[in-house]
Amino acid sequence: MSPSLPSGLLGDLDPTSDRAVFRQIADQLRDAIGKGRFREGEKLPSEAELVDHYGVSRMTVRNSFSVLIGEGLVHAEHGKGVFVRPRPPVRRLASDRFARRHREEGKSAFLVEADAAGGHPQVDSLEVKEEKAGPDVSARLGSLRRVLARRRRYLLDGRPVEFATSYLPLDIARGTQIAEPNPGPGGIYARLEELGHHLDHFDEEIRARMPTPTEVKTLHLAAGVPVIHLIRTAFDAEGRAVEVCDTVMAADAYVLAYQLPAT
């Protein structure tokens, strides 16, 4: 016989509701997670416990879990159970992470975010090469035909959270440390400023969407987890676009926090 769940942990089904039973169970589990009754990384009640509590079939319970998995709220581990997914570990401060003071301290934007999150940052899947510019990148950089592309994946505490590709004009980047796997302290923005391209402002375009199969594999995404797709263009003081960065972030790994002026 399955052990009973603690009193008040979950409610009862409403037999008068026209909402499917498996969705009622999903609603109660979701509400319990939202109220902190099940914390990040904590295991949800087992199929047997929920079958006993609600008096339903295992298939009904599995359908309830499928709803929450599809929402990206929980994830299943084979042979272990269903667990609450961690909340976003990285707080991305849009108005601060590119501040010049961070570059002067030898920190790239991701290092700033990782420090704020208290996590250990890593970069892998690094590729640097010259290639033909796609139509969108070419237009943003002033109709260039070829660019230097820098691809890398960012991890926080071993978890992939972001994949980014920077595109830079060859007349700026070729033969410089920017074209090296390790661009040095402060990242490519510090090198651009050393080359005389004083950064003036950044334009960012953000949208949310479901990931491609490649993005699911690269970022180790669970079912139902969307991505944040961000395209950033960096401009120097002369108004020239000196970099386009195409970034895909796991939506369950980031909080995008924008600090806007009051006037």
Side-chain angles (χ1 to χ4, degrees):
M1 181 175 179
S2 301
S4 60
L5 297 177
S7 176
L9 186 64
L10 295 171
D12 299 316
L13 298 176
D14 181 0
T16 66
S17 174
D18 59 0
R19 189 162 176 79
V21 170
F22 77 93
R23 294 195 181 279
Q24 289 190 50
I25 296 174
D27 291 343
Q28 292 194 16
L29 289 169
R30 186 189 305 105
D31 182 65
I33 292 170
K35 291 179 178 178
R37 294 174 187 166
F38 301 109
R39 298 180 179 179
E40 296 180 39
E42 188 174 344
K43 182 180 176 182
L44 294 184
S46 67
E47 287 183 7
E49 289 174 319
L50 292 175
V51 165
D52 181 68
H53 178 78
Y54 290 111
V56 298
S57 69
R58 282 184 177 271
M59 184 55 67
T60 298
V61 172
R62 289 171 186 170
N63 287 340
S64 301
F65 284 154
S66 293
V67 170
L68 301 180
I69 290 171
E71 294 174 356
L73 191 61
V74 302
H75 69 280
E77 294 186 16
H78 183 68
K80 295 183 178 180
V82 178
F83 298 82
V84 179
R85 289 183 61 82
R87 291 184 176 88
V90 183
R91 187 172 181 83
R92 191 180 185 93
L93 297 173
S95 65
D96 179 75
R97 68 188 189 278
F98 296 126
R100 182 166 287 104
R101 70 178 185 278
H102 297 314
R103 294 194 293 278
E104 292 173 348
E105 294 172 355
K107 293 182 179 180
S108 65
F110 185 69
L111 286 179
V112 173
E113 294 165 349
D115 285 348
H120 174 63
Q122 293 175 272
V123 180
D124 70 359
S125 302
L126 185 66
E127 178 187 59
V128 184
K129 66 175 185 178
E130 295 183 10
E131 64 184 38
K132 182 179 179 181
D136 183 63
V137 170
S138 176
R140 292 172 187 268
L141 290 176
S143 301
L144 297 182
R145 297 183 63 183
R146 293 186 64 79
V147 292
L148 179 78
R150 295 182 54 89
R151 294 182 174 85
R152 65 275 189 200
R153 184 175 66 168
Y154 296 100
L155 299 88
L156 189 68
D157 294 331
R159 176 191 175 186
V161 295
E162 178 179 332
F163 185 81
T165 304
S166 288
Y167 301 95
L168 300 104
L170 288 181
D171 68 303
I172 293 177
R174 178 183 277 169
T176 72
Q177 196 171 355
I178 294 172
E180 299 295 326
N182 182 357
I188 62 174
Y189 290 156
R191 304 292 81 76
L192 283 169
E193 295 205 318
E194 289 172 356
L195 292 169
H197 297 277
H198 187 87
L199 296 176
D200 181 75
H201 67 280
F202 303 88
D203 287 348
E204 290 190 338
E205 301 170 18
I206 302 174
R207 67 188 180 102
R209 58 171 172 78
M210 296 309 295
T212 66
T214 298
E215 291 165 350
V216 169
K217 182 178 180 180
T218 300
L219 295 175
H220 300 180
L221 298 174
V225 176
V227 293
I228 300 166
H229 186 191
L230 183 150
I231 298 178
R232 179 178 66 250
T233 306
F235 293 87
D236 66 14
E238 303 300 320
R240 180 182 179 182
V242 294
E243 182 234 17
V244 171
C245 187
D246 190 319
T247 302
V248 177
M249 298 176 284
D252 65 341
Y254 276 94
V255 172
L256 298 183
Y258 283 80
Q259 300 173 343
L260 302 177
T263 57

